[in-house]
Amino acid sequence: METNNPGKQEGIFARKIACEILVQIVKEGRSLAQIEEKHISQIPPGRDRSLARELVYGVLRQFFFLEGIANQLLQKPFKGKDTDVRMVVFLGLYQLEFMRVPEYASISATVELTRLFKKAWATKLVNAVLRGFQRGKEELIEKLDESARCAHPEWLLSVIKKDWPKNWQAIAEANNQQAPMCLRANLTHATRDDYMRTLAQADIQSEACKVNRSGIILHHAVDVVNLPGFAQGTCTVQDLAPQFSAELLLIEDGNRVLDACAAPGGKTTHVLESFGERIALVALEKDEHRVQRLKENLARFEGAEKVTVHVADAASTDSWWDGQLFDRILLDAPCTGTGVIRRNPDIKLLRRPKDIRNLTQQQSRLLNELWALLKPGGYLLYATCSILADENSRQIKTFLASHEDASYDDLDVKWGHNTGYGVQILTGEQQMDGFFYARIRKLELK
Amino acid sequence: MALLKILHYPDDRLRIKASPIDVVDDEIRTLADDMLETMYAAPGIGLAATQVNVAKRLIVMDISEEKNQPRVFINPELIEYQGEIKTEEGCLSVPSIYENVKRYEWVKVRALDKNGEQFELEADELLSVCIQHEMDHLEGKLFVDYLSEMKRNRIRKKITKLARETL
């Protein structure tokens, strides 16, 4: 007798779940963030869960490399309905090339996984592709074109190359690395050093970020429930790069401050913890589900009830604005997310060239609409987690050219690349996500 | 030790009723060892002599995770049974087909071990299902016989096609 119980063979169930997640992303265009937890939670906590996550993130990071290898070993492309088998091939190749699993174990686990799909032809094919890779690995890798070797889609790599002719290789490399888990220490609760000592007592090893005052880099990712004081707002999980925004806004007591695209609330809570009741804070988010996350995040902080939260599209001012101008506006605009590919490797698969244009139009509309809500003498801080010039420096250049009451305010900072129209942090620099800031001052026209 | 060739449905030799083993000698013990090796390599959790083209009443199995609890049953007989359980079964002679089959939930079996000593064993869950599945083989019966004729025909076609492809 033979069993078909996936739990029997070690790690097969984890591999099966990883495969299901990949199929949903590749075939149905779902985002990893939408579906990851739902699927992963089917696996009992522990080693198998980490295995499934490692496989999903790994295959997504190396997707275009694996595709380049597989295409050489296959006689004809997979049909859409066989995306599951295609993903098994990618999983198998990934394990062979990137994981410390003995080769025979990788192959046998992958072949075993194939059998779950009840497609008899597939077992033979998967086996043949994996053995083929084992035999001709060097030559197969040698034959890959540049974008496959960098594991990026061709169009994206060429945009990055054009925008960053000297840095594109470092960017591509950083995009394929695992990002560290980072925290922002709430400096009104304790100094960063003190909080790091508290972490060490909880057996969480960390190092201080060298370019900002609040950032902490954890040596290993941990569940937030294990972070001391998390529920009380003593720390927030946030990459290092966005931690500059509260400072760059130049907030003064009594200011009316708008956070225009607030969820999940990393920057909103930063402003709140730094200025509390000394300012009036309004947060907008157009996505209702994301508003829930914003509210949950705010709830950990003192004074959260004083924050005005609207479910609204910032650009449709009629729907939410009470007619009072703002002293400070933070516009962390919707973007391609090309600066956070290392955290969201599915971006490389899901983004399309036309998205850049749609997003730049959306950004420009937001800039224009929000500009009217800014008090003369006030500041607008434009931020994105993109590394593309179209969304960043070129966007700001265009805006400045069409608004005579807008004055570019050069940021005097020791990090990133000054483009002349804002400062760009490139992915991986000082361990940060790719991020962009530009500050614009509104002039009082006579 | 040697790997044996497993017969595949719809091979007629899978329909032969196996004869009792008179003497448990070295030849039988070697057969049992080879069958276990073949079963582990497949991989499967149970194998009947019928499946390796030996019409003798001998079955082997190992349902442990670690694959370190081989069991050998010679001339097995069901002496008591109780309840009903429906689980998904597969068979090394019917590759890549998995279907739900109804079995007794609990069984008591009497058999000879590798030394020819008689023993009795009570089994439930997977072990019970596996014993019944392997004992069926000795009667020339396969788990697909419990399925509807339509399903069985589909399976036969699928396996014949698979066999052609792997030639």
Side-chain angles (χ1 to χ4, degrees):
Chain A
M1 181 169 154
E2 185 190 359
T3 50
N4 190 25
N5 182 349
K8 283 273 171 277
Q9 182 98 16
E10 198 182 342
I12 292 290
F13 188 57
R15 286 174 168 86
K16 176 169 174 262
I17 296 291
C19 185
E20 284 171 7
I21 296 175
L22 290 168
V23 168
Q24 293 226 340
I25 293 170
V26 172
K27 195 172 163 191
E28 284 153 42
R30 307 287 300 275
S31 81
L32 179 56
Q34 276 174 345
I35 58 170
E36 182 181 359
E37 281 319 306
K38 194 182 92 203
H39 285 263
I40 293 275
S41 62
Q42 294 174 44
I43 309 171
R47 226 177 47 184
D48 277 358
R49 237 184 228 195
S50 327
L51 173 65
R53 263 191 240 275
E54 182 179 358
L55 287 169
V56 169
Y57 278 81
V59 168
L60 292 172
R61 284 196 178 106
Q62 297 300 338
F63 193 88
F64 295 91
F65 173 90
L66 302 169
E67 188 180 50
I69 297 288
N71 287 350
Q72 296 180 64
L73 289 163
L74 291 162
Q75 263 143 37
K76 53 180 183 191
F78 284 105
K79 294 176 190 143
K81 68 180 167 71
D82 297 323
T83 305
D84 49 2
V85 183
R86 182 166 172 238
M87 289 306 102
V88 172
V89 168
F90 284 27
L91 280 163
L93 290 171
Y94 178 77
Q95 291 168 68
L96 284 177
E97 179 62 14
F98 298 99
M99 275 176 80
R100 278 200 227 153
V101 182
E103 294 204 338
Y104 69 87
S106 294
I107 294 181
S108 89
T110 309
V111 170
E112 192 63 25
L113 173 63
T114 318
R115 294 158 74 135
L116 301 183
F117 299 125
K118 306 191 180 180
K119 294 179 181 176
W121 55 272
T123 318
K124 213 178 118 195
L125 180 137
V126 168
N127 205 6
V129 170
L130 298 187
R131 302 269 179 214
F133 178 64
Q134 251 186 331
R135 275 195 305 270
K137 189 162 140 179
E138 273 76 33
E139 203 182 327
L140 289 161
I141 294 177
E142 192 75 15
K143 279 193 198 148
L144 292 175
D145 63 21
E146 192 170 60
S147 59
R149 220 171 308 159
C150 298
H152 278 62
E154 212 179 323
W155 70 270
L156 180 59
L157 192 70
S158 71
V159 179
I160 298 176
K161 267 180 156 177
K162 196 173 73 180
D163 285 352
W164 301 101
K166 293 202 186 88
N167 312 81
W168 68 271
Q169 276 160 316
I171 295 171
E173 179 128 338
N175 284 345
N176 295 341
Q177 300 298 316
Q178 199 182 332
M181 181 172 180
C182 300
L183 304 179
R184 183 187 76 230
N186 184 341
L187 302 177
T188 60
H189 284 204
T191 67
R192 175 165 68 179
D193 286 348
D194 281 344
Y195 187 64
M196 283 171 63
R197 272 189 281 276
T198 312
L199 286 174
Q201 278 159 18
D203 248 350
I204 299 169
Q205 304 311 317
S206 63
E207 62 184 282
C209 168
K210 291 186 182 69
V211 283
N212 69 36
R213 296 186 302 135
S214 50
I216 296 174
I217 304 153
L218 300 187
H219 291 172
H220 301 284
V222 299
D223 197 327
V224 291
V225 297
N226 297 323
L227 290 170
F230 179 79
Q232 292 75 42
T234 306
C235 73
T236 297
V237 179
Q238 188 182 36
D239 184 70
L240 309 166
Q243 297 189 25
F244 295 109
S245 43
E247 203 177 310
L248 294 177
L249 273 166
L250 306 175
I251 294 171
E252 291 165 12
D253 285 0
N255 276 172
R256 252 173 75 78
V257 180
L258 172 68
D259 185 352
C261 306
K267 298 175 204 67
T268 328
T269 55
H270 197 180
V271 172
L272 177 64
E273 78 188 20
S274 310
F275 299 95
E277 295 180 17
R278 292 178 284 147
I279 58 165
L281 180 55
V282 178
L284 302 179
E285 171 54 47
K286 70 172 178 183
D287 182 332
E288 226 165 297
H289 296 284
R290 285 168 53 86
V291 167
Q292 283 315 310
R293 289 204 46 208
L294 168 64
K295 286 184 174 167
E296 281 166 25
N297 255 326
L298 280 169
R300 298 187 292 120
F301 293 83
E302 237 173 276
E305 65 290 344
K306 297 271 170 59
V307 181
T308 311
V309 178
H310 293 295
V311 188
D313 176 1
S316 315
T317 36
D318 291 349
S319 68
W320 64 271
W321 190 43
D322 63 1
Q324 291 187 67
L325 296 171
F326 291 95
D327 300 287
R328 302 288 184 264
I329 294 176
L330 169 59
L331 171 55
D332 181 8
C335 68
T336 53
T338 39
V340 292
I341 286 175
R342 56 188 196 148
R343 294 189 191 275
N344 306 279
D346 53 329
I347 287 175
K348 287 196 285 194
L349 281 77
L350 300 176
R351 283 281 170 274
R352 297 283 175 264
K354 68 173 187 326
D355 294 343
I356 300 179
R357 217 170 126 216
N358 291 341
L359 286 159
T360 51
Q361 282 170 357
Q362 216 177 322
Q363 290 152 3
S364 131
R365 187 168 146 251
L366 280 162
L367 273 167
N368 288 324
E369 293 292 325
L370 293 172
W371 189 248
L373 315 188
L374 187 63
K375 253 185 219 168
Y379 292 102
L380 182 145
L381 183 67
Y382 177 79
T384 70
C385 52
S386 164
I387 53 158
L388 305 185
D390 276 352
E391 300 177 274
N392 298 339
S393 53
R394 269 181 224 134
Q395 183 74 265
I396 295 304
K397 191 179 175 187
T398 311
F399 179 81
L400 292 170
S402 57
H403 293 78
E404 56 174 357
D405 58 348
S407 161
Y408 174 67
D409 198 27
D410 206 18
L411 299 176
D412 180 22
V413 293
K414 294 188 174 57
W415 37 265
H417 304 252
N418 197 329
T419 65
Y421 294 97
V423 175
Q424 179 75 59
I425 300 167
L426 295 177
T427 316
E429 292 180 337
Q430 272 103 24
Q431 305 199 48
M432 292 188 274
D433 282 347
F435 214 82
F436 177 82
Y437 286 110
R439 190 167 59 205
I440 311 170
R441 184 155 184 265
K442 194 168 189 174
L443 302 174
E444 295 185 55
L445 293 184
K446 289 170 185 127
Chain B
M1 300 265 272
L3 284 183
L4 307 169
K5 192 172 159 4
I6 298 176
L7 300 178
H8 285 172
Y9 177 77
D11 195 310
D12 284 339
R13 290 169 289 182
L14 287 168
R15 298 305 185 180
I16 299 171
K17 193 170 157 49
S19 351
I21 291 168
D22 297 328
V23 193
V24 181
D25 53 15
D26 282 345
E27 195 186 325
I28 295 295
R29 279 187 279 272
T30 306
L31 174 62
D33 286 342
D34 288 347
M35 282 171 60
L36 280 166
E37 195 189 351
T38 306
M39 175 193 83
Y40 286 130
I45 59 165
L47 191 68
T50 314
Q51 290 174 277
V52 292
N53 198 23
V54 177
K56 290 182 177 155
R57 300 187 84 77
L58 165 60
I59 61 178
V60 299
M61 65 193 71
D62 186 346
I63 61 156
S64 69
E65 299 263 27
E66 301 76 23
K67 301 291 160 214
N68 55 6
Q69 288 168 41
R71 297 169 192 268
V72 176
F73 301 77
I74 297 164
N75 299 337
E77 291 170 81
L78 226 50
I79 50 179
E80 272 181 66
Y81 50 82
Q82 245 176 44
E84 217 173 63
I85 183 172
K86 196 172 188 180
T87 57
E88 192 180 54
E89 291 185 27
C91 179
L92 295 173
S93 293
V94 195
S96 35
I97 306 293
Y98 304 92
E99 294 288 350
N100 282 317
V101 176
K102 235 191 275 179
R103 303 278 187 188
Y104 301 126
E105 189 185 17
W106 174 91
V107 295
K108 190 171 181 181
V109 66
R110 182 185 294 153
L112 303 178
D113 66 15
K114 272 169 79 173
N115 303 315
E117 305 276 9
Q118 185 177 299
F119 69 96
E120 283 181 11
L121 177 79
E122 293 178 32
D124 59 8
E125 295 181 343
L126 183 59
L127 185 58
S128 161
V129 170
C130 190
I131 289 172
Q132 294 171 72
H133 178 112
E134 301 313 333
M135 284 181 65
D136 268 357
H137 278 300
L138 304 181
E139 303 304 320
K141 201 165 180 184
L142 294 164
F143 83 106
V144 291
D145 299 347
Y146 295 98
L147 309 175
S148 72
E149 199 179 344
M150 213 174 69
K151 235 179 193 169
R152 206 162 46 240
N153 279 333
R154 220 180 53 224
I155 291 169
R156 186 183 304 126
K157 276 192 200 128
K158 195 171 157 186
I159 290 186
T160 322
K161 187 163 162 265
L162 179 69
R164 262 206 312 276
E165 279 172 359
T166 41
L167 276 181

